[in-house]
Amino acid sequence: MTKKSKIDQIRNIGIIAHIDAGKTTVTERILFYTGRSYKMGEVHNGEAVMDWMPDEQERGITITSAVTTCHWKGSDIQVIDTPGHVDFTIEVERSLRVLDGAIGIFCAVGGVEPQSETVWRQADKYHVPKIAFVNKMDRIGADFFRTVEMMKERLNANPLILQIPVGREENFAGVIDLVTMKRIAWDDETLGASFTAKEIPEDLMEKAGEYREKLVEAMADIDDDIMEAYLAEAPISEESLLAAIRKATIDLKMVPILCGSALKNKGIQPLLDAIVQFLPSPADVPSIKGTHPETGEVIECMPNKNGPLAGLIFKVSMIDGRKLSFVRIYSGKMIAGGEVYNPLRKKKEKLSRILMMHAAKKERINEAVAGNIVGVVGLKDSSTGETLCSVDHPVLLEKMEFYEPVISIAVEPKTHADQEKLDQVLGKYMAEDPTLKVSHDEDTGQTILSGMGELHLEIIISRMQREFKTSVNIGKPQVVYRETIETEAESSAVFDREVAGTRHFGEVVLKLRPLTRGAGNTFKSTVSEEAIPEVFIPAIEKGVMESFESGAIMGYPVVDVEAVLTGGSFRESLGTELAYKVSASMASKEALLKGKPLLLEPIMKVEIFVPDAFMGDVIGDINARNGKIESINPKIGMQEIEATVPLSQMFGYSTTLRSATQGRGTFTMQFSHFDRS
């Protein structure tokens, strides 16, 4: 970032779309035409600058969002190229959280595809202004106007057509710009670097006039000056039209639509112009609000480099084994070598280096200011979603929400050497990816890896082998149940024996009662000080709680039981903590057997988004899985189904849902409670 760049000349934008719509190709062209790259990388050759991970290059898809900076007509554009695959939704979510604008890319053949709906909804959730680029206009079956109609139907968007295509499929030859009323044609010999703006041919004039009229009408509805000129049939200047479009875009009233073919190098320069002209700078969007970590008072973080520091870590990457944190600075500035404060962890951190990112390449800079998105090296404790601020002006920005993993696999190391590395390697991936969870099943001894989908976990396994040479065997996971009791039960136990030359004595009487689901385990004592001295009560509680770690049926942990110490006896000089702990454990185990033990299985809260047409099939499938439909909430063109379903019935559900809804259904799943199986 140049020192001279003012905050109103910065554009923080993300490129969002369905998988294969051409996001990365568009980004590569942007880098080429802005002079950031000297040659165009192609996704299908595995040469794209932004797809720098080997797994991305092999599969031809984007897995991790890459950040880069380029310059166009006096503005600094900071671009994040996000993944399109549903398994990597978190990458899109956390990018949109810190961006001021987005470019939605749509395939002119496929139109609005399922994942486009998901990412568009995410952008709406964060109130991100958008422009749309209809790509692949040169493909067989390309239909610009059908794609625009689909945007109205499926996204509830208000499209504003700024360009119409000249020709289509193999005859696609450029666009007509409805603001300047010129025809733009690109020169194939210069790879689209040079283009000409000519007069509109007569045979296209009528259509261009019709769409220009629609554009002016749409603007007249929301801009009084244009309305006056329109009614008076006075000419409307290009400047006033551009200003009105910019305001409508930033106010989320309109989505400007452009078109082209990124692969054929047509349409990128007007898209760059539109980014600068219509998308907001950090100063144009409402300033972010945080809270004071101690008082809870709301603090507004103004986009001013001289204000107190407020920045959000939106992503952590392990590059070459070192931790690199990506930070969006909302207010103030960060200086290399300086100190920042993390109010959530109440810790000071040192910024050893600040980096301007260009995908996997990095450029060291001395300071970064409000509006910048930079990489930071040196943060030891801070992680994704946490705030960085100054010690004397603490502020806590709203934490990011992460999805709970929906699918698990069991992994075990192939060799002893892999065993030592496994936990360390998985720890690094968890720091990088909040949707990845690792747990150890004490019962089976397995390491359970949980993620957002089969591809997500497949990529993690592939990266473990490639980046850390850690090989694992993959098995099916076990559902971990819980146990409880159905009826009240009482039992007593005596421990009276000699251990290592010392006599130990303790007697307890315990009553176990079942509690409501989710209440947890509790312990209380009703015995008098004469029966059992107060000093031994903690040892008895410990004995009971340890016995609850393994139940009477299959050895799963016991939950939702109250243990009451109702009686017992004490012998002077023979009573010991060991004796009471062991006798409590024995009495508890016996009472668990008497209390009609039963198995509880994990029940998941599932939220499913499906288009109206597929709702019946999806509900039928949930019922077949012993699920309960809690509520159905109609959305525009979609239905949101909330249900609870046993986890054991949910394996492979993502595949079933995609095939039942032609890939348009999405779901999130998180643990709700344990209940009877």
Side-chain angles (χ1 to χ4, degrees):
M1 192 76 47
T2 55
K3 283 274 181 76
K4 296 191 290 290
S5 84
K6 295 195 185 77
I7 198 157
D8 54 8
Q9 289 166 334
I10 295 173
R11 299 288 180 274
N12 290 320
I13 60 152
I15 299 196
I16 58 172
H18 183 84
I19 191 165
D20 251 6
K23 293 180 302 301
T24 303
T25 307
V26 169
T27 313
E28 294 298 320
R29 299 304 183 265
I30 285 175
L31 298 182
F32 179 75
Y33 294 127
T34 56
R36 199 72 177 81
S37 298
Y38 299 105
K39 70 168 202 161
M40 294 185 205
E42 302 295 1
V43 177
H44 52 267
N45 297 338
E47 290 175 353
V49 174
M50 301 300 270
D51 285 351
W52 54 272
M53 281 169 61
D55 278 295
E56 294 179 313
Q57 291 165 355
E58 276 177 20
R59 289 177 165 85
I61 60 168
T62 302
I63 293 167
T64 174
S65 40
V67 182
T68 193
T69 310
C70 53
H71 312 285
W72 184 255
K73 296 191 176 173
S75 289
D76 287 329
I77 304 173
Q78 298 180 118
V79 186
I80 298 185
D81 174 28
T82 65
H85 196 285
V86 67
D87 286 8
F88 307 107
T89 306
I90 183 63
E91 287 286 338
V92 186
E93 180 97 13
R94 58 186 178 184
S95 300
L96 286 169
R97 168 77 163 78
V98 298
L99 291 170
D100 304 321
I103 305 170
I105 305 228
F106 298 91
C107 168
V109 183
V112 177
E113 295 168 288
Q115 188 63 5
S116 321
E117 294 178 44
T118 308
V119 294
W120 199 268
R121 272 204 303 271
Q122 287 172 312
D124 284 342
K125 171 179 161 184
Y126 290 115
H127 307 295
V128 176
K130 298 168 284 290
I131 54 181
F133 181 73
V134 180
N135 191 25
K136 305 194 179 185
M137 285 302 306
D138 57 317
R139 288 274 186 94
I140 292 171
D143 190 333
F144 174 75
F145 297 104
R146 182 178 64 97
T147 304
V148 173
E149 283 308 308
M150 285 175 84
M151 287 179 69
K152 287 182 193 168
E153 289 162 20
R154 291 194 181 174
L155 305 177
N156 195 32
N158 194 357
L160 184 69
I161 296 174
L162 300 188
Q163 294 176 347
I164 54 172
V166 176
R168 53 185 277 194
E169 299 180 351
E170 71 271 19
N171 298 321
F172 176 64
V175 299
I176 289 172
D177 185 322
L178 301 174
V179 176
T180 60
M181 285 303 274
K182 295 276 191 230
R183 179 198 161 166
I184 302 173
W186 280 267
D187 179 9
D188 289 335
E189 285 180 20
T190 62
L191 295 175
S194 62
F195 56 94
T196 48
K198 305 174 182 170
E199 293 304 316
I200 299 169
E202 279 196 17
D203 57 331
L204 296 171
M205 200 66 202
E206 189 182 333
K207 192 172 188 181
E210 177 196 334
Y211 279 96
R212 163 77 179 199
E213 185 78 4
K214 286 182 180 175
L215 168 65
V216 173
E217 272 177 26
M219 285 295 96
D221 283 347
I222 54 178
D223 187 286
D224 294 343
D225 294 344
I226 291 178
M227 173 66 89
E228 280 175 27
Y230 178 65
L231 293 174
E233 294 187 4
I236 294 162
S237 72
E238 199 178 303
E239 287 73 26
S240 58
L241 203 51
L242 289 172
I245 296 169
R246 176 179 177 80
K247 187 171 187 315
T249 308
I250 293 173
D251 293 348
L252 304 175
K253 289 180 180 165
M254 295 275 181
V255 178
I257 312 277
L258 298 93
C259 62
S261 164
L263 195 63
K264 293 289 191 321
N265 313 311
K266 293 179 169 71
I268 301 299
Q269 293 92 338
L271 177 62
L272 281 162
D273 288 343
I275 291 168
V276 173
Q277 286 165 339
F278 308 134
L279 288 180
S281 75
D284 296 320
V285 291
S287 52
I288 195 164
K289 290 182 173 62
T291 53
H292 192 286
E294 306 299 331
T295 64
E297 168 205 353
V298 175
I299 298 169
E300 194 169 347
C301 304
M302 303 300 287
N304 177 357
K305 68 175 184 182
N306 298 319
L309 173 66
L312 185 78
I313 303 169
F314 66 95
K315 178 180 161 77
V316 170
S317 273
M318 293 293 171
I319 298 180
D320 305 328
R322 298 196 66 179
K323 182 174 169 184
L324 176 67
S325 307
F326 290 83
V327 180
R328 160 73 199 260
I329 305 173
Y330 288 100
S331 169
K333 64 180 166 190
M334 295 196 309
I335 296 166
E339 240 184 15
V340 289
Y341 180 63
N342 180 335
L344 190 72
R345 297 184 184 263
K346 298 186 167 56
K347 284 192 172 174
K348 291 180 186 174
E349 294 263 42
K350 191 170 168 61
L351 305 169
S352 53
R353 279 186 290 162
I354 302 175
L355 306 165
M356 185 56 62
M357 302 303 298
H358 178 46
K361 298 190 181 76
K362 304 173 267 301
E363 178 190 328
R364 288 180 75 155
I365 53 174
N366 293 325
E367 68 170 51
V369 298
N372 287 179
I373 293 175
V374 290
V376 172
V377 179
L379 303 180
K380 288 190 175 66
D381 299 306
S382 304
S383 66
T384 307
E386 293 176 9
T387 307
L388 298 178
C389 60
S390 51
V391 185
D392 45 353
H393 288 91
V395 62
L396 199 54
L397 301 176
E398 187 189 348
K399 265 191 81 95
M400 294 159 81
E401 288 175 19
F402 299 123
Y403 297 101
E404 284 301 310
V406 295
I407 190 165
S408 308
I409 54 170
V411 293
E412 58 181 38
K414 285 188 176 173
T415 68
H416 183 65
D418 291 331
Q419 172 68 60
E420 292 170 8
K421 280 200 288 185
L422 184 63
D423 291 344
Q424 191 185 357
V425 169
L426 290 176
K428 287 184 174 174
Y429 287 134
M430 279 200 298
E432 203 174 281
D433 183 350
T435 57
L436 187 72
K437 296 274 193 299
V438 176
S439 58
H440 293 279
D441 184 346
E442 300 300 331
D443 307 314
T444 61
Q446 292 173 312
T447 298
I448 306 290
L449 196 57
S450 309
M452 295 303 293
E454 282 140 282
L455 179 66
H456 184 199
L457 295 175
E458 193 186 305
I459 300 274
I460 292 292
I461 300 295
S462 165
R463 286 183 63 193
M464 281 166 63
Q465 171 64 50
R466 194 190 298 270
E467 294 170 18
F468 295 99
K469 305 286 184 283
T470 308
S471 299
V472 292
N473 293 319
I474 301 162
K476 288 194 173 165
Q478 308 288 317
V479 174
V480 179
Y481 294 86
R482 293 287 182 267
E483 296 184 22
T484 191
I485 55 171
E486 217 170 344
T487 58
E488 200 172 285
E490 192 171 59
S491 183
S492 63
V494 179
F495 184 84
D496 182 6
R497 69 176 64 163
E498 198 172 292
V499 179
T502 308
R503 183 102 180 275
H504 298 263
F505 176 86
E507 180 186 8
V508 298
V509 182
L510 273 181
K511 187 182 276 182
L512 299 188
R513 295 193 190 117
L515 295 175
T516 55
R517 294 288 162 266
N521 295 327
T522 60
F523 173 85
K524 69 179 183 185
S525 167
T526 58
V527 296
S528 65
E529 175 80 20
E530 289 76 43
I532 299 176
E534 184 77 27
V535 69
F536 296 119
I537 303 297
I540 294 171
E541 182 177 356
K542 194 172 181 193
V544 170
M545 290 305 171
E546 282 181 7
S547 75
F548 285 174
E549 286 172 12
S550 129
I553 308 173
M554 292 171 71
Y556 287 113
V558 176
V559 294
D560 305 335
V561 174
E562 179 186 52
V564 185
L565 177 64
T566 56
S569 63
F570 166 69
R571 287 187 192 165
E572 194 71 52
S573 78
L574 296 180
T576 63
E577 286 193 2
L578 172 70
Y580 282 108
K581 183 180 163 191
V582 174
S583 57
S585 182
M586 287 157 57
S588 174
K589 290 242 181 247
E590 194 176 317
L592 284 172
L593 275 168
K594 288 182 183 173
K596 293 192 182 169
L598 60 103
L599 271 183
L600 300 176
E601 68 176 321
I603 306 294
M604 310 304 282
K605 180 175 181 245
V606 185
E607 284 185 8
I608 311 161
F609 282 94
V610 287
D612 297 340
F614 304 109
M615 193 171 81
D617 294 346
V618 170
I619 288 176
D621 181 60
I622 288 293
N623 290 333
R625 292 170 189 267
N626 298 332
K628 289 189 190 125
I629 305 293
E630 306 276 321
S631 67
I632 298 171
N633 310 312
K635 306 274 180 192
I636 293 142
M638 301 283 282
Q639 298 285 347
E640 181 191 32
I641 302 167
E642 290 186 6
T644 52
V645 191
L647 174 63
S648 56
Q649 301 291 323
M650 287 302 287
F651 290 119
Y653 184 65
S654 51
T655 313
T656 309
L657 181 66
R658 282 176 205 171
S659 56
T661 59
Q662 296 172 7
R664 290 177 60 198
T666 59
F667 80 105
T668 60
M669 177 168 89
Q670 61 193 69
F671 172 75
S672 170
H673 61 284
F674 283 98
D675 214 335
R676 303 185 69 143
S677 48

